[in-house]
Amino acid sequence: MKSRTNVKRFLVDWAAVLALLVCFIAFTAVKGSAFMSGSNMVNILRAMAINTVFGIAATITMAPDGFDMSAGTLASCSAYVFVSAYLWLGMSLGMSIVTCIFVTLIMYQLTMFLILVCKIPDMLATCALMFVHQGIGQWYIGGGAVSTGMKTSWGAMPARTALSESFSAIGRAPWIIIIMLGCVFVAYLFLNFTKHGRYLYAMGGNKEAAKLSGIDVKKYRYLAGMITAVFIAIGGILVASRGSSAQVMCCDNYLMPSLAAVFVGRTVGGAEKPNALGTMIGAMLVSTLENGLTICAVPFYVLPAVKGAVLALALIAAYASKRED
């Protein structure tokens, strides 16, 4: 009986990794070198990079038991600011990145105000802010897009008419992969090897107990929000660079895959909490499934159902042990 329980526990704890291995074996058996080629592996890494960065943002938010439904819409605003600063205002690439992060941090103050001051539950506050971000972002870009050859939303000619090679390189391999690994590494170190990360996990485990132990829960929830905003801005920059423009709601569709990555990741190794390495594995699973099914000529409109199924299975695995308790 005990051995059966141990096997079940192992399967639950490592379900994501086992599923990833099964995906690689199955897709390789069906498509051979078309799936396992070096170029396709790079495609998977590029696809998972953006999901991973947004997943890291969600990981930081969820560590103290927060939840952000507006990350995708805010990232779209970040992309608008990034590209418009570079094209419309003629800023350098470095200043455009700094401006994007700064504006995202400013916009995230409203999220923190609703959650910490108005005491609105995270999900309700961020659901409302989804519409706020969409409205503000589309007002700023005039309801169109920010790309080369287009006038500004106020009708003026842009300072630049073309994107530099360095701008586009951010969204291509190897830089997009390096940035992803850097985000995972920073988040991993922060959450696991600093007192601030341990405080966030303590808040996620039991907020009242953390408060009674002397942790300033408002201060650390605010810290988590600011770090989340930085990762959201980085995600928006990657999307804009990869697409060489900032399209309307260009980042909105990354919300669900990133949440799936976090929930898959929290089951890896029996962590039972959001963690950076698990989120990366979850993002790889989602991206590998999408890539393999696309190569197998599965219609694109079926892919959202697959992502939803992955999220549902991740939730089942995440809460299976709690049901047993």
Side-chain angles (χ1 to χ4, degrees):
M1 186 67 181
K2 186 176 180 181
S3 61
R4 184 181 300 177
T5 302
N6 290 337
V7 170
K8 183 180 178 181
R9 184 72 261 174
F10 175 83
L11 292 175
V12 171
D13 290 349
W14 297 100
V17 176
L18 294 173
L20 185 59
L21 291 175
V22 169
C23 286
F24 270 91
I25 293 170
F27 290 134
T28 301
V30 173
K31 301 304 292 186
S33 60
F35 176 76
M36 282 300 294
S37 65
S39 60
N40 192 53
M41 292 300 103
V42 172
N43 287 337
I44 292 176
L45 288 172
R46 286 179 58 199
M48 69 174 276
I50 296 175
N51 286 335
T52 300
V53 172
F54 284 125
I56 291 296
T59 298
I60 299 295
T61 301
M62 292 184 189
D65 198 29
F67 199 84
D68 192 343
M69 292 291 293
S70 64
T73 53
L74 180 56
S76 293
C77 292
S78 302
Y80 305 151
V81 172
F82 174 57
V83 184
S84 66
Y86 189 78
L87 283 180
W88 291 356
L89 305 180
M91 293 184 183
S92 66
L93 181 59
M95 277 305 299
S96 298
I97 292 172
V98 170
T99 301
C100 172
I101 294 174
F102 178 75
V103 172
T104 306
L105 286 168
I106 293 299
M107 294 184 69
Y108 212 82
Q109 303 304 312
L110 179 57
T111 305
M112 293 291 92
F113 175 77
L114 293 179
I115 293 172
L116 298 179
V117 178
C118 299
K119 301 187 184 302
I120 300 174
D122 290 35
M123 184 174 290
L124 297 179
T126 53
C127 278
L129 289 174
M130 289 173 65
F131 300 103
V132 174
H133 296 156
Q134 287 176 354
I136 291 176
Q138 292 187 49
W139 165 78
Y140 173 67
I141 63 176
V146 188
S147 60
T148 56
M150 297 182 65
K151 291 185 177 181
T152 67
S153 59
W154 53 89
M157 292 302 296
R160 283 194 179 92
T161 57
L163 298 172
S164 67
E165 178 62 25
S166 56
F167 182 100
S168 300
I170 296 174
R172 296 199 299 256
W175 282 110
I176 191 172
I177 299 171
I178 293 172
I179 292 169
M180 171 194 71
L181 294 175
C183 290
V184 172
F185 181 69
V186 169
Y188 175 76
L189 289 182
F190 174 75
L191 289 173
N192 293 280
F193 295 100
T194 69
K195 71 173 185 178
H196 309 296
R198 290 192 290 271
Y199 286 173
L200 294 183
Y201 277 140
M203 290 165 57
N206 189 319
K207 190 171 292 185
E208 287 303 316
K211 189 174 182 178
L212 291 173
S213 67
I215 297 174
D216 189 336
V217 295
K218 281 192 175 182
K219 171 185 173 181
Y220 280 96
R221 181 64 184 87
Y222 181 81
L223 174 65
M226 293 302 96
I227 297 173
T228 296
V230 172
F231 284 119
I232 288 173
I234 294 172
I237 290 168
L238 293 180
V239 172
S241 178
R242 186 178 180 183
S244 297
S245 64
Q247 298 295 327
V248 176
M249 297 187 292
C250 55
C251 301
D252 293 29
N253 290 333
Y254 288 99
L255 176 63
M256 285 299 111
S258 65
L259 291 179
V262 177
F263 282 110
V264 169
R266 66 179 293 155
T267 68
V268 175
E272 297 185 1
K273 61 185 179 182
N275 64 94
L277 294 180
T279 294
M280 184 172 70
I281 292 173
M284 180 176 286
L285 175 59
V286 173
S287 298
T288 301
L289 273 170
E290 186 169 4
N291 178 275
L293 292 173
T294 301
I295 290 178
C296 292
V298 173
F300 70 92
Y301 46 80
V302 176
L303 297 181
V306 175
K307 294 178 185 177
V310 171
L311 178 56
L313 291 173
L315 291 170
I316 291 171
Y319 291 99
S321 59
K322 292 186 177 182
R323 289 199 309 271
E324 290 173 0
D325 296 340

